[in-house]
């Protein structure tokens, strides 16, 4: 498993810290490994961008059967968007989203490089790129949620559009590099940050905010598990 905080399982609890990286035993990679009695080597690290994931790829065991890759959110500036859009003293939300769109073009190339780096280490490994779960629902639903006082309809639509745009270079990189692509289950989308029963940490604790909870990671683990059996 290589990638960022979504791969590391931030938000799920049950953390250990290795090499300065906080990882959860309840991450989706760990959940899928348990379901398939697979041995997990987890090199993921919260905050990782594509350059860090390229370094992680160089640690992939030569005998790896499947390599899960989750990266791109930090390259697209998710944390900067959260700061701008959810904190009253942040910068302009829509301006930050517009700036983040400029980073999307380089993400496809970076993912292709990540896949190539994995295959140098483990030529027979199956590479699987993961997308990102949709955080928000439609503006009407979000208006009655705790985020309703922090985000207006235009900001919610812009965040949703950016997430949809981020999926495009990830899926394109998967196709062009011979990797598989897996999205998060619909059940996770139904339990967005705006839902009455969110499967995401909302605003506290801040270091886990806007990350999936253990329920969401477990659902993703169930989706990933069949790929490990092939």
């Amino acid at each position: 498993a290589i990638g960022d905080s979504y791969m590391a399982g931030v938000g799920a609890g049950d953390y250990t810290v290795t090499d300065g990286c906080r990882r959860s035993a309840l991450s989706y990679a760990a959940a899928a490994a348990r379901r398939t009695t697979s041995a997990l080597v987890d090199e993921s690290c919260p905050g990782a961008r594509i350059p860090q994931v390229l370094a992680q790829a160089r640690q992939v065991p030569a005998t790896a059967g499947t390599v899960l890759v989750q990266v791109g959110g930090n390259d697209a500036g998710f944390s900067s968007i959260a700061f701008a859009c959810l904190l009253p003293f942040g910068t302009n939300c829509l301006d930050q989203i517009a700036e983040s769109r400029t980073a999307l073009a380089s993400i496809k190339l970076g993912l292709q490089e990540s896949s190539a780096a994995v295959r140098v280490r483990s030529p027979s490994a199956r590479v699987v790129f993961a997308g990102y779960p949709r955080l928000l629902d439609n503006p009407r639903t979000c208006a009655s949620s705790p985020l309703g006082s922090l985000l207006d309809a235009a900001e919610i639509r812009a965040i949703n559009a950016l997430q949809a745009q981020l999926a495009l270079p990830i899926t394109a990189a998967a196709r062009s590099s011979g990797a598989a692509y897996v999205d998060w289950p619909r059940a996770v989308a139904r339990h967005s940050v705006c839902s009455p029963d969110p499967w995401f940490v909302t605003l506290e604790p801040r270091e886990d905010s806007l990350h999936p909870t253990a329920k969401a990671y477990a659902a993703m683990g169930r989706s990933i598990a069949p790929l490990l059996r092939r």
Side-chain angles (χ1 to χ4, degrees):
I2 60 177
D4 57 21
S5 57
Y6 277 71
M7 180 64 81
V10 169
D14 197 4
Y15 301 116
T16 58
V17 179
T18 304
D19 299 332
C21 297
R22 187 167 61 117
R23 305 181 183 97
S24 173
L26 301 176
S27 69
Y28 69 76
R34 284 191 293 272
R35 294 181 72 89
T36 57
T37 63
S38 302
L40 172 63
V41 177
D42 191 349
E43 296 289 340
S44 64
C45 193
R49 300 187 179 199
I50 285 170
Q52 288 75 45
V53 170
L54 285 168
Q56 294 171 14
R58 291 192 282 272
Q59 304 302 316
V60 169
T63 56
T66 301
V67 179
L68 307 177
V69 184
Q70 174 100 60
V71 70
N74 292 316
D75 301 87
F78 276 7
S79 59
S80 297
I81 290 171
F83 184 87
C85 298
L86 300 179
L87 298 179
F89 50 82
T91 55
N92 182 276
C93 177
L94 293 178
D95 287 348
Q96 183 59 56
I97 293 170
E99 182 178 335
S100 292
R101 289 196 191 100
T102 64
L104 296 178
S106 64
I107 291 175
K108 176 183 175 182
L109 178 60
L111 285 167
Q112 291 171 326
E113 292 175 350
S114 299
S115 180
V118 167
R119 291 200 165 98
V120 168
R121 291 284 300 167
S122 182
S124 62
R126 178 185 181 87
V127 180
V128 179
F129 290 144
Y132 286 85
R134 183 173 175 176
L135 294 173
L136 306 177
D137 211 319
N138 60 69
R140 180 177 298 177
T141 301
C142 286
S144 59
S145 75
L147 292 184
S149 62
L150 300 173
L151 297 171
D152 62 30
E155 291 167 344
I156 291 167
R157 284 193 291 268
I159 290 170
N160 286 338
L162 179 66
Q163 281 207 263
Q165 291 164 351
L166 175 59
L168 298 179
I170 299 175
T171 55
R175 286 194 301 269
S176 62
S177 63
Y181 172 81
V182 62
D183 205 351
W184 289 65
R186 291 183 179 178
V188 177
R190 289 196 296 269
H191 290 272
S192 75
V193 176
C194 299
S195 78
D197 180 25
W199 285 2
F200 291 85
V201 180
T202 50
L203 300 179
E204 295 295 337
R206 184 171 294 181
E207 62 269 21
D208 290 359
S209 63
L210 303 183
H211 284 81
T213 63
K215 288 183 179 179
Y217 285 120
M220 183 61 159
R222 289 191 291 272
S223 292
I224 292 285
L227 297 176
L228 304 188
R229 296 190 180 103
R230 295 179 184 177

